[in-house]
Amino acid sequence: MANDRKPTVAIIGGGFSGIFSAIRVKQELGIQPHIFEGSKDFGGTWHLNTYPGCACDVASHLYSLSTDLNPNWSKKYSPREEIHQYMLGLVDKYDLRSNATTHCEVVKATWLDTERKWKLDYRDRRYPDRELETVFYDVAFVAIGSIRVPRVPEQFKDFDGPIVHTAMWDPTIDFTGKKVAVVGSGASAVQVVPELAKVAGKLHNYQRTAVWCRPREQFAYSGLMKFLFRWFPILMRLLRLRLFLRLEINYMTFGYSNGRYARWITKLLSGDMKRRILNQGRPDLVEKLIPDYAAGCKRIAVTDDYLETLCRENVVLEKGKITEVRGRSITTADGNEEEYDILVLATGYDVQGFLGNLTIQGKHKQTLNDAWQDAFPEMYKTTCINGYPNMFIILGPSSILGHNSVLLMTEIQVNYVVQGLKLMMKQNLVAFDPLKKAQDKFVAQLKDDLESTVWKKGGCNSWYLNSEGDVTANWANTVTNFWFTLRKFKNFDDFNIYKE
């Protein structure tokens, strides 16, 4: 790369990871990146998920960028619409729309070794019959996130009635007075069930596995608090630090599954859930709703109304395994058959197949999609991959958290990558990717650290695991540990480097 030319940068994805990547590339490298976003607007999951009750389970003053604090959050846990507006505000503030293509699905990224560039093939999703278009970039950020491809089990596709996945919500469906089946017990089910139960005539929640719940303790910020946050930003910093430290301490529940703290948390949650259920006059549901696995093995739900909703007269908890879906009826292993007007799938995402329609071809003959299929996703410091020069994954495998805000992870990853690119430009290099031995060493340590976590030892099956039982979604340690691991891109000792 000539000394007077800066690298061109493509960012695939317009969610939080893509937005922050673009901001830092502009600020630190003086490069205007181009963002490719598959939907009609920025926002990622907060643009696409529109089901009733959709919100974040991390407090808003922590689920936001440290570079752009927001004094105007309305509540402790703000709703989806407010989070999305915050993101759009960032897009406008940093003028990201002027170099972005929406409705644009990148379907293949191919490394051209001779040219030292990434070839991106994309299509306009509004015109699927058109031929693919092709562009070339020196650097590619894959910022699509790992929670993006809805999981729709085959057995439900033959349901002979309206069927909707929480990740692909249809606002035209009228639930008023209808008999509704909701399948799932994860975060989206916990949020959507209370809202649908308010209008449905009858709602059945199919929940094969119970979910640990902790109180949301929701509250609204007063006008005075917003005023103080706006004029004394240090107060927001202090609140953010307090929220961070409280959640960071909770890592002990996840990292030391057999420890005294973890057992205490499990006992505490169990007691609180039992109290909430008994307060609704439903002792018959205590055993059904309190999990028999360690707290944290699956994501802990943050809710003030899910357990209470399951105790309502118009709501039925179904614990049997679904064995057949025929016409409009659902049959469980115990022989119970129910007919429904509407089927709602809160069945989560294919986290292991998060690349979806995006095929990535690096220097190896095997695509990244095939290499990671049913295998541990091998990366170096969760951001870059041997054989894929100048491609950086943001908030992909091994970087999700069970205890804190993932936006902290996004910031740490992006800052690390930008440091590397800055050093690459300083040394007049054109590309870099990690050495296989450096990557192998990092992965071996990561796997070893994951062995003692609740995701591995907690006694449940979750989306954190792949088909081989490996914990592929989560970072093994604290956010503080992650920052320490990626705090400085010192040199290229652990990397292959490429010159023109």
Side-chain angles (χ1 to χ4, degrees), residues 210-262:
V211 58
W212 285 107
C213 299
R214 68 175 177 86
R216 197 172 188 81
E217 299 176 337
Q218 178 74 297
F219 63 83
Y221 288 105
S222 66
L224 175 60
M225 283 304 302
K226 295 176 187 177
F227 173 83
L228 292 173
F229 285 149
R230 188 177 303 112
W231 290 100
F232 303 97
I234 186 63
L235 296 177
M236 279 191 292
R237 294 284 175 194
L238 291 173
L239 173 59
R240 183 180 175 93
L241 177 61
R242 177 175 175 269
L243 292 168
F244 168 74
L245 291 175
R246 286 188 65 181
L247 294 181
E248 192 76 334
I249 289 171
N250 282 339
Y251 171 76
M252 290 190 290
T253 303
F254 303 87
Y256 308 97
S257 56
N258 294 318
R260 182 178 299 177
Y261 184 85

Side-chain angles (χ1 to χ4, degrees), residues 48 105 144-150 167 349-350 353-358:
L48 297 172
E105 181 181 23
I144 55 179
S146 56
I147 303 177
R148 61 179 292 267
V149 180
Y349 298 85
D350 179 9
F354 79 98
L355 291 174
N357 294 330
L358 171 59

